[in-house]
Amino acid sequence: DSYPFRFPQVEDELQLALSLRKNQEISSLTQAIKQFGMTAYLKENPQKLSSFQKIRFFLLLAFIRKPRLLLFDDLFCKLSSFEKQIVWENLQFLKKEGITILMTSSNLEDVLPADRLLILNQGILLFDDVPLAVLKEDSLLNKIGLQLPFFVDLSLKLQYYNLIDTIYLNQEELVDALWKSN
């Protein structure tokens, strides 16, 4: 993992990002540092951060710099489920700040919280819709080699047998729906 950091500490990189804002103030930098979970890492060398910490650090830098668009390729590939949830929360925070986020992934489970899901196969756009609408096309997704997330697949099967009436994206929602249907 070699990244183009200029300074030996996270706080130095943050200062550089602030200096490049051209007199635009960030009123809540301390709050943003907390929001992105970087408080304990300010004196750390950015090169020594874990993959999860580096992602959060980059998202904090994006918050400071305010680009119009962020592009990620398989952002979640090295993260645990817990870490993925934290990163999604950080991405939602950036989205509220007006930053457009575009990401690629070969794992449908990683993109369930997305606003829009585009499925490409050999350069051809097959789907462009909200994730739930795309996931209902499970037979075509399977044909092109995409595996549905477990709870989506289970929901579709239970829906087929009229045991539930909607697709659930996680275990808690599905269990609650099954208990309520009895």
Side-chain angles (χ1 to χ4, degrees):
D1 287 324
S2 178
Y3 294 99
F5 296 116
R6 294 181 178 98
F7 298 107
Q9 292 183 342
V10 166
E11 65 185 353
D12 297 326
E13 289 289 330
L14 295 176
Q15 287 301 323
L16 175 63
L18 284 170
S19 71
L20 297 173
R21 285 185 55 90
K22 299 176 185 167
N23 299 327
Q24 295 175 325
E25 292 292 319
I26 292 185
S27 59
S28 59
L29 181 59
T30 304
Q31 182 63 28
I33 291 169
K34 287 179 188 176
Q35 167 76 30
F36 290 95
M38 295 307 299
T39 305
Y41 305 103
L42 292 174
K43 299 288 183 192
E44 297 292 324
N45 181 331
Q47 300 275 4
K48 305 291 182 196
L49 298 175
S50 70
S51 294
F52 174 56
Q53 293 160 348
K54 284 178 183 175
I55 289 170
R56 295 183 82 188
F57 178 47
F58 282 130
L59 296 177
L60 174 57
L61 289 172
F63 170 76
I64 293 170
R65 294 298 311 271
K66 297 276 193 272
R68 290 187 293 201
L69 174 70
L70 287 175
L71 177 61
F72 297 104
D73 182 28
D74 266 334
L75 178 65
F76 299 108
C77 70
K78 295 182 180 180
L79 302 181
S80 70
S81 295
F82 174 75
E83 291 169 340
K84 289 176 185 181
Q85 180 181 348
I86 300 290
V87 170
W88 266 112
E89 290 170 8
N90 292 153
L91 291 172
Q92 292 303 316
F93 181 79
L94 291 175
K95 181 181 164 198
K96 288 178 187 170
E97 293 292 314
I99 298 172
T100 300
I101 299 162
L102 180 64
M103 66 178 70
T104 66
S105 178
S106 55
N107 183 347
L108 288 175
E109 190 167 343
D110 290 343
V111 295
L112 290 177
D115 295 331
R116 210 166 118 205
L117 186 58
L118 287 78
I119 303 289
L120 298 171
N121 185 39
Q122 298 179 356
I124 298 170
L125 180 64
L126 299 178
F127 298 104
D128 177 0
D129 209 334
V130 295
L132 283 177
V134 172
L135 295 172
K136 288 180 182 178
E137 302 296 333
D138 60 320
S139 61
L140 183 56
L141 293 172
N142 288 330
K143 283 181 186 175
I144 63 170
L146 290 174
Q147 185 176 2
L148 288 178
F150 175 76
F151 289 102
V152 172
D153 189 41
L154 182 57
S155 291
L156 288 167
K157 288 177 171 113
L158 293 172
Q159 200 175 33
Y160 177 79
Y161 290 106
N162 293 320
L163 296 171
I164 60 174
D165 58 356
T166 191
I167 296 174
Y168 294 94
L169 303 179
N170 63 53
Q171 179 179 351
E172 296 81 22
E173 292 175 352
L174 180 57
V175 170
D176 285 346
L178 289 170
W179 276 107
K180 288 177 184 175
S181 68
N182 287 332

